[in-house]
């Protein structure tokens, strides 16, 4: 199940910090700017809400980390989750199967970045799109969601990510709020 919150400034940050585990509070406070703190805190609060709603869990989750740094919930190997955030929104997905999510702001399209990260078929899709900026963001979120599903993270060769055949995608464009998110699930 996907949880999105695009009201990043509509909560009391100091009060919310008190709801977090010490582990997550320390992580949030490492951000130098308030925006980073807000998105880190809100992502965790979304996860807490998802765990209550989907699994009936009320305890604050403690994270462990896999080989490539992908977080998991200590004591609950049956629950898979992933978090993401950008300037406009925070996203959380929970599932009983491995899952990845990425949310990105729609930014000005840069051909040089596209040529570095997209293969020829993807570049053709972007070129034919009514809005190349949205098409690029859509493909990028799909790539990052797949890599977050596997726990790899960003890598040098981004052009081949979508051709590797692992995962089913759902992508949503929220253009009124200027972001796109994709979920990749096994």
């Amino acid at each position: 199940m996907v949880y999105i919150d695009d009201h990043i400034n509509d909560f009391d940050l100091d009060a919310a910090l008190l709801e977090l585990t010490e582990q997550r509070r320390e992580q949030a406070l490492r951000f130098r700017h308030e925006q980073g703190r807000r998105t880190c805190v809100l992502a965790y609060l979304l996860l807490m809400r998802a765990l209550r709603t989907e699994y009936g869990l009320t305890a604050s989750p403690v994270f462990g980390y896999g080989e490539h740094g992908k977080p998991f919930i200590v004591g609950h190997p049956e629950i898979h989750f992933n978090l993401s955030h950008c300037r406009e929104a925070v996203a959380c997905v929970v599932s009983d199967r491995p899952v990845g999510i990425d949310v990105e702001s729609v930014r000005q399209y840069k051909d040089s970045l596209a040529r570095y990260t997209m293969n020829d078929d993807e570049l053709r899709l972007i070129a034919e799109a009514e809005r190349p900026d949205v098409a690029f963001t859509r493909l990028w979120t799909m790539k990052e969601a797949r890599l977050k599903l596997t726990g790899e993270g960003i890598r040098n060769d981004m052009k081949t990510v979508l051709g590797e055949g692992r995962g089913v995608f759902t992508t949503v464009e929220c253009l009124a709020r200027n972001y796109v998110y994709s979920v990749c699930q096994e």
Side-chain angles (χ1 to χ4, degrees):
M1 183 58 86
V2 176
Y3 291 78
I4 300 287
D5 193 328
D6 54 17
H7 299 283
I8 294 170
N9 295 310
D10 294 350
F11 71 96
D12 182 337
L13 179 60
D14 292 329
L17 281 165
L18 298 175
E19 294 182 49
L20 307 184
T21 61
E22 183 175 335
Q23 176 192 46
R24 189 63 177 195
R25 186 172 31 258
E26 287 176 4
Q27 184 177 358
L29 292 174
R30 280 190 220 121
F31 286 90
R32 291 193 312 186
H33 301 290
E34 183 178 330
Q35 180 73 7
R37 290 179 181 181
R38 284 187 166 282
T39 55
C40 181
V41 168
L42 191 53
Y44 188 82
L45 294 176
L46 276 179
L47 176 61
M48 288 174 59
R49 182 171 60 179
L51 294 173
R52 268 192 314 274
T53 302
E54 306 299 324
Y55 298 95
L57 299 177
T58 56
S60 298
V62 174
F63 297 158
Y65 295 91
E67 176 184 352
H68 300 289
K70 184 175 181 175
F72 61 87
I73 299 170
V74 173
H76 290 281
E78 76 282 9
I79 300 173
H80 300 269
F81 79 97
N82 203 232
L83 306 172
S84 184
H85 54 79
C86 65
R87 278 182 274 167
E88 283 75 23
V90 174
C92 170
V93 62
V94 294
S95 179
D96 59 355
R97 298 177 300 188
V99 66
I101 192 167
D102 186 46
V103 62
E104 296 289 338
S105 305
V106 177
R107 297 189 186 129
Q108 181 180 7
Y109 175 71
K110 293 187 178 176
D111 188 62
S112 60
L113 180 59
R115 292 193 178 289
Y116 184 71
T117 59
M118 303 290 162
N119 64 39
D120 290 341
D121 291 335
E122 294 161 349
L123 289 170
R124 190 170 27 265
L125 287 172
I126 293 168
E128 294 170 355
E130 183 178 324
R131 291 208 37 202
D133 56 341
V134 174
F136 173 83
T137 306
R138 178 180 183 64
L139 289 165
W140 179 263
T141 61
M142 291 171 68
K143 288 174 185 251
E144 196 163 338
R146 172 169 284 152
L147 292 172
K148 290 175 78 176
L149 166 99
T150 64
E152 290 179 68
I154 302 300
R155 61 186 195 197
N156 288 334
D157 179 19
M158 294 296 289
K159 292 182 179 187
T160 62
V161 171
L162 294 180
E164 294 170 359
R166 186 173 178 191
V168 175
F169 292 95
T170 302
T171 300
V172 174
E173 298 171 1
C174 187
L175 300 183
R177 302 287 288 183
N178 198 45
Y179 64 87
V180 173
Y181 71 87
S182 290
V183 176
C184 184
Q185 189 162 358
E186 281 191 341

